[in-house]
């Protein structure tokens, strides 16, 4: 085993989750590349390493690190390099040289004990001297805390967040009650806190552990879309999580209620447990909808006469239900328009817009996703935005819905009418944020297909608003002639009604290729995407989307993406690649953002590099293409819709995944020229009618299912999709 000592010249790569690092170390023998896992490392720092020299077939001689120890800089060269490395803000190489030249080996003692003496050096004021001293002390304290935290298996990223929140009290928190970290620090969950607690020696039946476990289990149900959990279900799931049997959950529930973390509500002979945030969010959404729903006194006969004139001038052809929808939108503060594909929702929206425009009213159009907003713009001829952009996102709404948007009750949206499309995708937090930015007197029109899957986030907003029976709802059911010529539309409605679908492949836009072997199905998918469908639907292979019910399994997203990448974007000379964990990204790859990131900056620029627009926020479900992987900058540039480009640092690549195949859930609100759906047997609770209906209605020109026709017919008959525990409809009725 060899031992070397030197200062960190440059960190080439670092995985903040597991600490794996590639760095250049400068020591007596010159510069050496070191690879291994480091608890804490920063450029300019002095390290003592043990390990052995190896020769990499591509990168040559490397030092493979077994153990590492952070040392205080001791010789003058190390002290100067540390101070001038950039880790101390405001101190560059030149100033570091002046400090060390004056104070020599006494430099750190002077900085810590007599910082005012730094002002003896030209270019350093007394204020700057104090700032340098504070930074050096903070760096030392943080380094020690980071090393302490990482002994418990905490990643560097999380360790930094924990230290920023608790500072020097982090030692007491870890030793007394590490479970509070899960409540206070975003990104630290119960399981991480539980692992720390076990290492500290906290017992499995500790009150801290049980309370934290109950609350964690409740929040996990929110991730599944639920707003509350019944007590018996919560007890069973908490028992499974903790590995112990709770005999008296009421005691812990009362403690959590006193802490205002949860709300207990007895309804229909069962105790419902809500996370406080979501209980009050439902209450507020119900109240705000009630306040908005002001009835406008308008003579309906005259209104319909004016509408006929608008139809004639605009060459719009409405049936009676569509006219009724427009009338209801004019008469009511809140109105819901729903219906399946081909029933004329877009034509009805256009008629509403023309009517409101003719009255001189200002209106805003929005949808939950960029793709849905773009479709709305194309269909109406008026600009539509994402809801996030409409509300002017400026922070992290998921963590703080009060300050996450610039538009709110103090700075409301300025419009007479707001029309929101694809409302089935809108979750409870986003609906809450939207309503807070709308003042009573503004009309709100909500448009969506209530038969589609509910939102990815918690709640079942559209369905609950309709089920409350307190607002004007118009459901369009008639399939118009042009749409009726499409078997995609006809079969989607058959699926929704539970009727049998003919699979004879005599259709022009709906095909079923019967195959029973997963590998054969994948082979057919590749042939369809590469050779058959692009010409048939006049589209790029990248525009043809594979939709699958599951993430795991032989036909799951994870396996399909690896295979499709090799065929649709194979490795080539000149195509840069980046491997992150078990994933490989390559220039030209089709990718998807898998979580909301409100801090990511995007920009649109001309071919000459001049920026024409920029903004913040890339959201769960946004899809784009990797245009460049810059190994020097350690960034990946992804281009999204509307030529928005985002530079991802390597550390954020866990927010991206390949998107040649995506789950049907992730396709909500999107529309593709053609979709291909692989279908073999799967869990009954997942393979239900709503899922199939949603998948089929994502296609504009062609649907091709490949797999088992028996599974297809069974899904049509299976109406047992998972019901969400929500009470918005009840809260609305109580208003």
């Amino acid at each position: 085993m060899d031992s070397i000592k030197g200062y960190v010249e440059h960190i080439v790569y670092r995985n903040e989750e597991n600490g794996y690092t590639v760095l250049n170390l400068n020591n007596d023998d010159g510069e050496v590349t070191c690879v291994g896992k480091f608890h804490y490392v920063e450029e300019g720092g002095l390290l003592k390493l043990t390990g052995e020299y190896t020769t990499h077939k591509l990168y040559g001689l490397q030092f493979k690190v077994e153990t590492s120890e952070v040392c205080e800089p001791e010789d003058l060269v190390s002290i100067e390099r540390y101070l001038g490395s950039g880790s101390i803000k405001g101190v560059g190489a030149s100033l570091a040289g002046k400090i060390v030249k004056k104070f020599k080996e006494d430099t750190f003692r002077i900085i810590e004990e007599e910082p005012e003496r730094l002002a003896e050096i030209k270019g350093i004021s007394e204020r700057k001297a104090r700032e340098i001293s504070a930074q050096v002390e903070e760096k030392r304290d943080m380094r020690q805390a980071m090393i302490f935290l990482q002994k418990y298996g905490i990643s560097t990223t999380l360790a930094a967040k924990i230290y920023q929140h608790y500072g020097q009290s982090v030692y007491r928190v870890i030793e007394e009650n590490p479970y509070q970290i899960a409540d206070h620090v975003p990104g630290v969950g119960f399981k991480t806190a539980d692992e720390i607690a076990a290492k500290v020696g906290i017992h499995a039946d500790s009150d801290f552990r049980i309370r934290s476990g109950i609350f964690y289990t409740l929040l996990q149900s929110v991730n599944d879309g639920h707003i509350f959990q019944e007590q018996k279900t919560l007890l069973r799931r908490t028992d499974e999580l903790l590995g112990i049997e709770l005999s008296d959950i009421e005691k812990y529930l009362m403690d959590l209620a006193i802490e205002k973390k949860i709300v207990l509500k007895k309804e229909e002979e069962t105790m419902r447990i809500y996370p406080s945030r979501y209980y009050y969010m439902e209450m507020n959404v119900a109240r705000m909808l009630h306040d908005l729903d002001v009835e406008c006194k308008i003579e309906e006969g005259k209104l319909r006469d004016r509408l006929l004139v608008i139809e004639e001038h605009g060459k719009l052809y409405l049936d009676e239900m569509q006219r009724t929808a427009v009338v209801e939108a004019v008469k009511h503060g809140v109105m819901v328009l729903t219906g399946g594909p081909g029933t004329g929702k877009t034509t009805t929206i256009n008629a509403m817009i023309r009517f409101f425009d003719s009255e001189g009213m200002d209106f805003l159009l929005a949808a939950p996703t960029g793709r849905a907003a773009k479709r709305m713009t194309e269909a109406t001829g008026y600009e539509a935005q994402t809801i996030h952009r409409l509300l002017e996102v400026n922070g992290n709404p998921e963590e703080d819905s009060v300050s996450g948007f610039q538009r709110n009750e103090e700075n409301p949206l300025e419009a007479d009418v707001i029309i929101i499309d694809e409302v089935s995708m809108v979750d409870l937090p986003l609906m809450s944020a939207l309503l807070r930015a709308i003042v009573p007197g503004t009309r709100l029109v909500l448009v969506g297909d209530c038969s589609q899957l509910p939102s990815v986030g918690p709640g079942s907003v559209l369905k609950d608003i309709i089920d409350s029976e307190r607002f004007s709802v118009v459901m369009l059911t008639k399939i118009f002639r042009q749409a009726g010529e499409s078997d995609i539309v006809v079969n989607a409605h058959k699926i929704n009604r539970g009727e049998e679908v003919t699979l004879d492949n005599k259709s022009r836009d709906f095909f079923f290729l019967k195959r029973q072997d997963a590998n054969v199905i994948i082979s057919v998918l590749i042939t369809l995407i590469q050779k058959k469908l692009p010409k048939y639907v006049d589209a790029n292979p990248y525009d043809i989307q594979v939709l699958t019910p599951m993430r795991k399994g032989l036909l799951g997203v994870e396996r399909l993406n690896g295979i499709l990448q090799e065929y649709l974007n194979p490795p080539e000379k000149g195509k840069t690649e980046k491997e992150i964990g078990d994933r490989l990204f390559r220039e030209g790859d089709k990718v998807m953002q898998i979580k909301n990131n409100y801090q990511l900056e995007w920009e649109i620029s001309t071919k000459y590099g001049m920026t024409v627009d920029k903004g913040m926020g890339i959201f769960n479900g946004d899809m784009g293409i990797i245009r460049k992987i810059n190994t020097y900058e350690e960034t990946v540039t992804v281009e999204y819709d509307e030529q928005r480009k985002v530079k991802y640092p390597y550390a954020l690549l866990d927010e991206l995944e390949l998107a040649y195949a995506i789950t049907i859930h992730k396709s909500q609100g999107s529309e593709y020229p053609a979709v291909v759906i692989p279908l073999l047997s799967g869990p009954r609770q997942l393979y239900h009618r709503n899922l199939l209906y949603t998948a089929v209605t994502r296609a504009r020109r062609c649907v091709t299912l490949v797999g088992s026709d028996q599974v297809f017919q069974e899904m049509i008959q299976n109406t047992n999709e998972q019901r969400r525990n929500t009470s918005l409809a009840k809260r609305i009725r109580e208003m």
Side-chain angles (χ1 to χ4, degrees), residues 125-396:
S125 63
E126 286 189 15
R127 179 181 172 185
K128 188 167 186 177
R130 288 193 297 271
E131 288 174 355
I132 292 170
S133 176
Q135 283 189 71
V136 169
E137 189 173 343
E138 185 184 344
K139 285 279 179 182
R140 188 188 65 243
D141 292 343
M142 184 176 182
R143 182 164 66 243
Q144 291 169 351
M146 297 280 277
I147 292 169
F148 168 76
L149 289 168
Q150 286 170 63
K151 287 176 184 174
Y152 296 102
I154 302 171
S155 72
T156 306
T157 307
L158 287 184
K161 286 183 181 179
I162 293 169
Y163 181 76
Q164 283 164 11
H165 186 85
Y166 293 108
Q168 287 300 97
S169 63
V170 69
Y171 303 99
R172 177 181 55 78
V173 169
I174 293 292
E175 287 162 6
E176 291 179 6
N177 177 17
Y179 291 101
Q180 62 187 288
I181 299 172
D183 296 336
H184 298 153
V185 182
V188 179
F190 169 80
K191 291 184 178 178
T192 301
D194 205 30
E195 287 172 8
I196 298 169
K199 289 173 182 172
V200 172
I202 291 174
H203 293 296
D205 60 353
S206 152
D207 281 3
F208 290 139
R209 182 171 188 260
I210 292 170
R211 283 203 302 271
S212 185
I214 291 169
F215 192 59
Y216 171 79
T217 304
L218 190 59
L219 292 182
Q220 285 301 105
S221 71
V222 172
N223 292 340
D224 294 331
H226 303 297
I227 301 301
F228 68 85
Q229 201 57 265
E230 291 186 356
Q231 182 172 315
K232 60 183 179 180
T233 306
L234 182 62
L235 175 61
R236 174 175 52 80
R237 292 183 178 176
T238 304
D239 283 352
E240 290 171 2
L241 172 73
L242 298 178
I244 59 175
E245 193 169 325
L246 292 176
S247 55
D248 182 20
I249 194 173
E250 286 86 357
K251 168 186 177 297
Y252 302 106
L253 291 177
M254 286 306 298
D255 289 344
L256 287 166
I258 289 167
E259 291 175 32
K260 297 186 177 179
K261 286 186 175 180
I262 65 171
V263 172
L264 306 174
K265 193 122 177 118
K266 184 124 186 202
E267 293 184 15
E268 299 166 15
E269 300 306 310
T270 62
M271 181 64 78
R272 293 178 174 181
I273 297 97
Y274 296 77
S276 295
R277 178 188 177 206
Y278 292 97
Y279 175 79
Y280 292 111
M281 200 178 283
E282 274 196 338
M283 293 279 285
N284 287 331
V285 165
R287 177 187 56 78
M288 289 185 288
L289 283 169
H290 175 269
D291 291 348
L292 277 181
D293 193 31
V294 179
E295 189 167 346
C296 305
K297 301 294 182 185
I298 297 174
E299 191 178 325
E300 190 168 320
K302 289 183 179 178
L303 198 158
R304 286 183 177 270
D305 289 342
R306 278 151 56 196
L307 182 56
L308 287 171
V309 173
I310 287 165
E311 283 182 58
E312 196 174 314
H313 281 296
K315 296 183 180 176
L316 293 169
Y317 306 102
L318 306 181
D319 71 0
E320 192 53 36
M321 284 304 291
Q322 289 174 305
R323 288 192 193 97
T324 298
V326 178
V327 169
E328 292 295 294
V330 174
K331 286 173 61 180
H332 296 277
V334 177
M335 183 266 173
V336 178
L337 174 66
T338 186
T343 55
K345 293 194 297 295
T346 299
T347 303
T348 309
I349 291 172
N350 276 324
M352 289 177 185
I353 290 170
R354 303 258 174 106
F355 183 91
F356 291 129
D357 194 32
S358 72
E359 293 291 298
M361 299 170 81
D362 294 326
F363 53 88
L364 293 169
L365 310 179
T369 67
R371 283 172 177 256
K374 186 178 179 184
R375 278 210 323 277
M376 198 179 188
T377 299
E378 291 167 351
T380 63
Y382 292 90
E383 183 193 2
Q385 307 171 67
T386 64
I387 298 173
H388 287 92
R389 202 166 183 192
L390 180 75
L391 297 178
E392 297 173 26
V393 63
N394 69 345
N396 192 340

Side-chain angles (χ1 to χ4, degrees), residues 534-603:
K535 289 181 181 177
Y536 191 73
V537 296
D538 188 26
N540 187 296
Y542 274 32
D543 294 330
I544 296 161
Q545 189 60 52
V546 176
L547 303 180
T548 182
M550 297 189 296
R551 287 197 60 82
K552 306 284 186 184
L554 294 175
L555 293 175
V557 163
E558 292 173 9
R559 182 170 185 244
L560 285 175
N561 271 321
I563 295 169
L564 291 171
Q565 181 190 42
E566 288 305 300
Y567 282 90
L568 299 178
N569 187 32
E572 285 179 18
K573 189 177 180 182
K575 264 188 193 175
T576 309
E577 298 179 352
K578 176 62 188 171
E579 197 168 353
I580 296 286
D582 58 354
R583 289 173 298 162
L584 175 72
F585 293 114
R586 183 177 293 137
E587 287 176 346
D589 272 337
K590 183 179 180 181
V591 292
M592 172 185 276
Q593 175 80 11
I594 58 172
K595 62 181 286 190
N596 288 343
N597 187 325
Y598 301 89
Q599 311 302 328
L600 271 175
E601 293 184 28
W602 54 262
E603 66 174 40

